């Protein structure tokens, strides 16, 4: 198992799709915890996936987090969206 959290305490996962469970299973919960899941799909927002509430990308601007981990394989477009939103690129990483 790889250390995907890099000792970040408060994590947001971006992508409520097929791969999010795999990422959740690899988090060391002794060091970190997941605040929620971010997704651009309006149909997923407000739902609960793997026990975590799914929020809109705009919601993260009001949240206190250390790192966003992108769970989707097509992470390039999500990184660009984070850049467009003004999210510090040092606080965004891709699982893949």
């Amino acid at each position: 198992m790889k250390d995907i959290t890099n000792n970040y305490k408060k994590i947001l996962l971006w992508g409520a799709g097929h791969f999010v469970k795999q990422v959740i299973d690899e988090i060391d919960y002794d060091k970190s915890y997941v605040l929620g899941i971010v997704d651009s799909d309006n149909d997923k927002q407000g739902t609960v996936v793997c026990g975590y509430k799914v929020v809109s990308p705009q919601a993260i601007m009001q949240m206190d987090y250390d790192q966003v981990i992108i769970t989707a394989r097509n992470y390039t477009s999500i990184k660009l969206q984070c850049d467009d939103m003004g999210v510090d690129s040092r606080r965004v990483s891709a699982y893949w």
Side-chain angles (χ1 to χ4, degrees), residues 49-62:
V49 173
C50 297
Y52 297 99
K53 184 175 180 180
V54 180
V55 299
S56 71
Q58 295 75 23
I60 71 171
M61 303 311 288
Q62 307 300 318

Side-chain angles (χ1 to χ4, degrees), residues 1-13 19-37 49-52 69 71:
M1 182 183 307
K2 63 184 179 179
D3 182 10
I4 63 169
T5 59
N6 294 320
N7 295 318
Y8 295 113
K9 298 290 183 197
K10 297 175 278 187
I11 298 169
L12 286 168
L13 301 176
F19 298 107
V20 71
K21 182 177 180 342
Q22 179 178 343
V23 176
I24 287 171
D25 288 345
E26 292 196 29
I27 293 172
D28 182 348
Y29 290 94
D30 290 331
K31 294 191 252 177
S32 305
Y33 63 94
V34 175
L35 296 171
I37 299 172
V49 173
C50 297
Y52 297 99
I69 298 175
T71 66

Side-chain angles (χ1 to χ4, degrees), residues 62-87:
Q62 307 300 318
M63 299 176 80
D64 179 26
Y65 62 91
D66 296 314
Q67 188 72 6
V68 174
I69 298 175
I70 301 170
T71 66
R73 285 194 185 234
N74 59 340
Y75 58 87
T76 306
S77 63
I78 296 171
K79 276 191 164 190
L80 290 172
Q81 186 174 359
C82 288
D83 287 344
D84 290 345
M85 292 173 55
V87 176

